[in-house]
């Protein structure tokens, strides 16, 4: 039997566990005061406004919300530096799936702080990076997928960049990309070329040709599927052999939380496979939020996927791919794979999700989805014209406020923030209010409190 490593001796030192227990006890003691929405402390207004002004100047533009966290929260509730406490129902656009100040994440971060490197990367990675990669691969392949490789990265954008490079290298000299209308992939130089928001690439030269295909319309499933296939085939015929890949969101995120159907995606995939075009599923937002860990599993697309990207709730993002898309040396590399604390947190989150009762038709995510959407339906019946929908799947929920203009959605989101609920906008025509709940921390009582605030806020805006 080999002698324990020094790092193993350190981890087993009883003083480490004692210190963690003391720290977590102190955290729990302060969390007891976080019980619900609380207004800002007037005495902190001037200093808080000064901080916001300083940050606006530093970053060259204002924050969307006047949000500066104090550094503590409790599940779906978070304290801001102005003394207010709010319900966080957008979770940093889907990042804080376990909620705020989750004790297991704090413990993992403490362990990571003792693990030598702050940031892992291309030349120096610790053992936990191996375990996280293998865990993501194992869970991806439970239903017939063959995603044999996993490349970690610091952001969803980098995961998507790596995915595109894998596909383009494999399919070279093909250089065109297919994408769904109203898609969002990111704001990097290349990804802004695909994201269907012209304003996000204003002033930038075109470096990647993209051909758009209409997305699924739940109101007209057969017609929209046939139309999408027809236009897809037209693009391919117009540029024979020139398309390398088609990234696809299974539930469009920024596009308004419209979900596709299995039949729709299979119809698209059949055409792509017939023309040797890579099937790439962008799960940076859907990962972990539907009825299976991976969205492609929830839609039964396992045997068809070539490349998959994940992010947000996983803390460290990743590109998974089949052996066919294994890159040649030098194509992808990361000086920054991710912070050691992020990698440790990612493993805790994956273990929580796969070891809990989150998935399936009667899992926690499905139950909370049904409960929240039921509350939105009730508001719509009591206050006609103020809520249309709801839309989305699993932990991705949205509704169209009033007439669905961009101004309507923004007014509701900002008014909710002032009232103690953090949400965000999605889509453009119509514009919607969206929620990404901390599914591991939220309760039905929290949803009751949030929807009560929402109903009051909508009524007030309707009278304005």
């Amino acid at each position: 039997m080999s002698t324990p490593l020094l790092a193993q001796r350190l981890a087993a030192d009883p003083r480490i566990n004692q210190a963690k227990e003391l720290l977590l006890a102190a955290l729990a003691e302060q969390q007891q005061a976080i019980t619900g929405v609380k207004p800002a402390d007037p005495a902190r207004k001037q200093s808080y406004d000064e901080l916001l002004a300083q940050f606006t100047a530093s970053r060259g533009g204002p924050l969307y919300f006047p949000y500066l966290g104090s550094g503590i929260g409790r599940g779906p509730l978070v304290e801001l530096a102005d003394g207010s406490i709010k319900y966080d129902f957008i979770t940093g656009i889907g990042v804080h799936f376990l909620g705020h100040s989750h004790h297991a994440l704090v413990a993992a971060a403490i362990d990571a702080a003792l693990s030598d490197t702050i940031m892992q990367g291309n030349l120096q990675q610790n053992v936990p990076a191996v375990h996280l990669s293998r865990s993501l691969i194992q869970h991806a392949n439970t239903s017939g997928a063959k995603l044999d490789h996993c490349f970690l990265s610091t952001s969803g954008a980098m995961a998507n960049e790596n995915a595109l490079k894998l596909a383009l290298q494999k399919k070279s000299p093909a250089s065109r990309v297919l994408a769904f209308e109203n898609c969002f992939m990111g704001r990097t130089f290349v990804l802004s070329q695909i994201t269907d928001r012209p304003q996000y690439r204003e002033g930038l030269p075109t470096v990647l040709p993209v051909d758009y295909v209409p997305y699924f319309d739940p109101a007209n499933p057969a017609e929209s599927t046939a139309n999408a296939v027809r236009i897809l085939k037209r693009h391919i015929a117009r540029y024979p052999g020139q398309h390398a890949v088609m990234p696809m969101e299974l539930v469009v995120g920024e596009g308004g939380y419209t979900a596709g159907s299995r039949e729709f995606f299979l119809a698209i995939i059949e055409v792509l496979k017939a023309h040797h075009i890579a099937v790439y599923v962008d799960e940076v937002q859907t990962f972990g939020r539907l009825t299976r860990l991976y969205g492609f599993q929830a839609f039964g697309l396992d045997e068809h996927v070539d490349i998959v990207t994940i992010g947000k709730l996983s803390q460290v993002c990743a590109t998974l791919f089949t052996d066919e898309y294994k890159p040649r040396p030098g194509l992808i590399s990361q000086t920054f794979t991710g912070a050691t604390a992020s990698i440790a947190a990612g493993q805790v989150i994956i273990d929580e999700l796969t070891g809990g009762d989150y998935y399936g038709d009667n899992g926690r995510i499905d139950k909370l989805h049904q409960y929240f959407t039921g509350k939105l339906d009730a508001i719509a019946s009591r206050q006609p014209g103020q809520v249309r929908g709801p839309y989305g799947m699993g932990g991705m929920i949205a509704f169209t406020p009033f007439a669905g203009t961009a101004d309507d959605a923004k007014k509701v989101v900002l008014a909710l923030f002032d009232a103690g609920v953090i949400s965000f906008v999605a889509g453009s025509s119509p514009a919607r209010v969206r929620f990404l709940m901390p599914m591991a921390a939220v309760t039905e009582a929290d949803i009751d409190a949030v929807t009560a605030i929402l109903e009051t806020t909508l009524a007030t805006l309707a009278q304005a």
Side-chain angles (χ1 to χ4, degrees), residues 279-298:
V279 176
Y280 158 23
V281 178
D282 174 0
E283 294 207 29
V284 172
Q285 190 161 169
T286 53
F287 177 67
R289 290 191 168 83
L290 307 185
T291 56
R292 296 282 301 275
L293 182 65
Y294 288 87
F296 71 80
Q297 295 171 332

Side-chain angles (χ1 to χ4, degrees), residues 148-439:
D148 299 320
H149 307 286
C150 174
F151 197 90
L152 303 177
S153 56
T154 52
S155 71
M158 279 310 306
N160 283 341
E161 288 269 350
N162 287 335
L164 288 170
K165 289 198 292 183
L166 293 175
L168 287 164
Q169 184 183 75
K170 172 65 178 178
K171 301 300 182 179
S172 179
S175 60
R176 300 188 74 87
V177 172
L178 292 152
F180 285 124
E181 293 177 358
N182 221 11
C183 73
F184 182 92
M185 290 201 69
R187 300 176 195 254
T188 65
F189 194 5
V190 170
L191 296 181
S192 66
Q193 308 287 310
I194 301 174
T195 294
D196 194 13
R197 293 287 190 281
Q199 65 271 29
Y200 293 173
R201 51 181 176 269
E202 185 176 348
L204 301 179
T206 299
V207 297
L208 188 70
V210 182
D211 299 307
Y212 291 99
V213 175
Y215 197 69
F216 181 70
D217 180 1
N220 298 287
E223 180 182 340
S224 65
T225 299
N227 185 49
V229 168
R230 179 179 60 82
I231 293 176
L232 173 62
K233 289 181 176 179
R234 186 175 69 188
H235 287 317
I236 294 172
R238 180 172 293 175
Y239 302 105
Q242 295 185 44
H243 291 99
V245 61
M246 184 170 185
M248 55 181 72
E249 295 172 282
L250 304 179
V251 181
V252 288
E254 305 294 322
Y257 282 18
T258 300
S261 73
R262 183 172 190 270
E263 294 72 22
F264 172 76
F265 292 120
L266 287 177
I268 295 292
I269 289 169
E270 183 180 5
V271 177
L272 298 177
K273 292 291 187 180
H275 292 86
H276 308 290
I277 298 169
V279 176
Y280 158 23
V281 178
D282 174 0
E283 294 207 29
V284 172
Q285 190 161 169
T286 53
F287 177 67
R289 290 191 168 83
L290 307 185
T291 56
R292 296 282 301 275
L293 182 65
Y294 288 87
F296 71 80
Q297 295 171 332
F299 282 88
L301 304 176
D302 303 70
E303 64 184 285
H304 304 292
V305 294
D306 298 312
I307 303 170
V308 175
T309 53
I310 68 162
K312 293 190 182 292
L313 72 80
S314 57
Q315 308 301 300
V316 174
C317 304
T319 307
L320 294 95
F321 49 98
T322 65
D323 201 57
E324 181 183 359
Y325 288 85
K326 188 175 179 180
R328 295 194 289 274
L331 183 71
I332 54 177
S333 177
Q334 305 280 175
T335 299
F336 296 147
T337 289
T340 299
S342 299
I343 292 170
Q347 189 66 64
V348 167
I349 292 164
I350 298 303
D351 290 345
E352 168 68 21
L353 293 180
T354 56
D357 61 347
Y358 291 92
Y359 301 115
D361 292 336
N362 200 36
R364 177 177 176 80
I365 289 175
D366 184 60
K367 288 178 180 177
L368 289 172
H369 175 91
Q370 298 300 331
Y371 192 78
F372 194 9
T373 55
K375 288 287 185 177
L376 292 176
D377 285 333
I379 295 173
S381 66
R382 288 191 295 266
Q383 300 182 179
Q386 297 178 16
V387 171
R388 282 183 289 139
Y391 307 94
M393 290 180 67
M396 303 172 68
I397 299 171
F399 72 91
T400 303
F402 302 108
T405 67
D407 188 55
D408 286 334
K410 187 173 182 179
K411 281 183 179 179
V412 172
V413 165
L414 294 180
L416 280 175
F417 184 87
D418 291 340
V421 175
I422 310 173
S423 59
F424 200 41
V425 296
S428 56
S429 297
R432 292 172 177 159
V433 176
R434 62 168 155 161
F435 302 95
L436 288 165
M437 294 184 290
M439 302 298 281

